Amino acid sequence: MSLTDAQWARIEPYSRRRTPKRGGRWRDHHRVIDTIAFKFQTGSQWVHLPERYGNWRGVYNRLRVWGVDGTWAWVCGRVPSCRRVPGSGPTRS
């Protein structure tokens, strides 16, 4: 699953506020959300994500942070096809 332009338009303004002000730069939020969606739709293990999605650790860590701070629930509230991660954070495959 890749976010449609309409879905991305609903969450993009908020995503700018989710970028850390200090430290390294985060990868594009849109691409990370597409990667998370692919992982849950296919049931793939994190370590077996295709190379085109980049390093799985970065995506996993972002989802973990977003699960704890409520960002992922917020995203899923605006994208109807989003799969919620059970509990307060993601489960590890």
Side-chain angles (χ1 to χ4, degrees):
M1 173 199 126
S2 184
L3 288 176
T4 65
D5 290 340
Q7 290 171 326
W8 179 243
R10 296 175 89 182
I11 61 175
E12 192 272 335
Y14 181 75
S15 73
R16 285 185 238 144
R17 292 180 285 185
R18 300 298 313 143
T19 302
K21 298 192 183 338
R22 297 180 56 170
R25 292 184 51 137
W26 272 5
R27 249 189 313 171
D28 176 51
H29 295 305
H30 191 167
R31 182 166 179 165
V32 169
I33 292 170
D34 284 347
T35 305
I36 293 167
F38 174 86
K39 186 263 187 267
F40 285 112
Q41 285 184 338
T42 64
S44 175
Q45 293 181 346
W46 286 106
V47 297
H48 295 134
L49 287 174
E51 287 184 26
R52 70 178 178 266
Y53 291 116
N55 186 321
W56 68 270
R57 285 180 186 93
V59 177
Y60 170 79
N61 287 332
R62 181 101 53 101
L63 179 58
R64 186 176 51 80
V65 168
W66 284 355
V68 171
D69 74 7
T71 300
W72 190 247
W74 186 91
V75 167
C76 287
R78 278 137 190 86
V79 179
S81 61
C82 174
R83 178 171 177 185
R84 293 186 185 273
V85 178
S88 63
T91 55
R92 198 169 192 176
S93 298

